Amino acid sequence: MEAASGVLAVLVAVLDVIAIAQVWRSGIERGRKLIWSLVIGLLPVVGLIMWFVAARTRGRAQL
């Protein structure tokens, strides 16, 4: 069971790094990039889900 927890933790960390990289490559303003990066970094799972939802609706709404 501990091995599964470790793999899950690594997976979340990798997905967080990818999400933060996508934030900094996006066309949003620098202040919002910083806020999104902090949300993803401080709330790894919740921030990742929030970014995924916001990035999918980017065409319809501002981030």
Side-chain angles (χ1 to χ4, degrees):
M1 203 62 172
E2 291 177 21
S5 297
V7 170
L8 185 62
V10 170
L11 179 64
V12 169
V14 168
L15 290 174
D16 282 346
V17 169
I18 292 170
I20 291 172
Q22 286 182 344
V23 166
W24 285 95
R25 281 191 236 137
S26 69
I28 60 177
E29 62 191 43
R30 181 172 271 205
R32 290 181 189 227
K33 288 179 183 182
L34 182 61
I35 290 170
W36 271 112
S37 297
L38 287 173
V39 168
I40 294 169
L42 295 175
L43 304 170
V45 175
V46 175
L48 186 62
I49 293 169
M50 288 172 57
W51 172 252
F52 178 72
V53 169
R56 289 190 67 193
T57 61
R58 186 180 315 163
R60 292 181 230 147
Q62 287 273 336
L63 294 177

